[in-house]
């Protein structure tokens, strides 16, 4: 008994792999970036049929915003978090009272013992 598959019995797969167009269902070779029938891009129809990815209540759809507007929104969000934290830290930290007053011209020596 021979448990190894023979090369003679295996079907020859010489066909190039394809991707289906999401608009017209035409099979296109993987080397093509646009559909040969309708001209649609690879996975072009996916975004058209989907709901917005992230919608904020006051801001709206982040996917529809320009890059500059998203950057401005991110900076405003960071400022809204960092500035109150910095203010709270500034107001709640106490000045150390253990700092000695040193007259000008005086030297301070530390002794270890």
């Amino acid at each position: 008994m021979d448990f190894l598959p023979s090369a003679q019995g295996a079907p020859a797969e010489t066909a190039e792999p394809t991707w289906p167009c999401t608009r017209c269902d035409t099979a296109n070779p993987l080397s093509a970036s646009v559909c040969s029938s309708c001209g649609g891009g690879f996975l072009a129809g996916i975004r058209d049929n989907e709901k917005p990815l992230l919608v904020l209540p006051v801001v709206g759809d982040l996917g529809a915003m320009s890059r500059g507007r998203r950057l401005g929104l991110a900076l405003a969000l960071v400022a809204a978090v960092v500035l109150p934290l910095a203010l709270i830290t500034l107001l709640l930290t106490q000045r150390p009272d253990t700092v000695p007053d040193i007259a000008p011209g005086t030297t301070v020596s530390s002794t270890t013992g």
Side-chain angles (χ1 to χ4, degrees):
M1 283 206 289
D2 188 15
F3 292 106
L4 296 175
S6 65
Q8 295 172 348
E13 293 185 29
T14 58
E16 183 180 0
T18 59
W19 58 271
C21 178
T22 55
R23 291 184 180 169
C24 67
D25 292 328
T26 303
N28 297 292
L30 283 180
S31 59
S33 62
V34 294
C35 178
S36 60
S37 178
C38 69
F42 181 71
L43 298 177
I46 298 294
R47 180 67 176 133
D48 298 338
N49 298 332
E50 287 184 4
K51 295 179 183 177
L53 295 177
L54 183 60
V55 178
L56 298 177
V58 176
V59 178
D61 182 15
L62 291 180
M65 289 184 182
S66 67
R67 189 176 189 184
R69 195 161 179 200
R70 286 192 306 254
L71 178 64
L73 182 64
L75 291 176
L77 189 63
V78 167
V81 171
V82 170
L83 290 178
L85 288 176
L87 183 63
I88 289 170
T89 303
L90 182 67
L91 292 175
L92 293 180
T93 45
Q94 297 177 357
R95 185 175 158 219
D97 294 332
T98 59
V99 177
D101 292 331
I102 301 172
T106 328
T107 59
V108 177
S109 64
S110 74
T111 58
T112 57

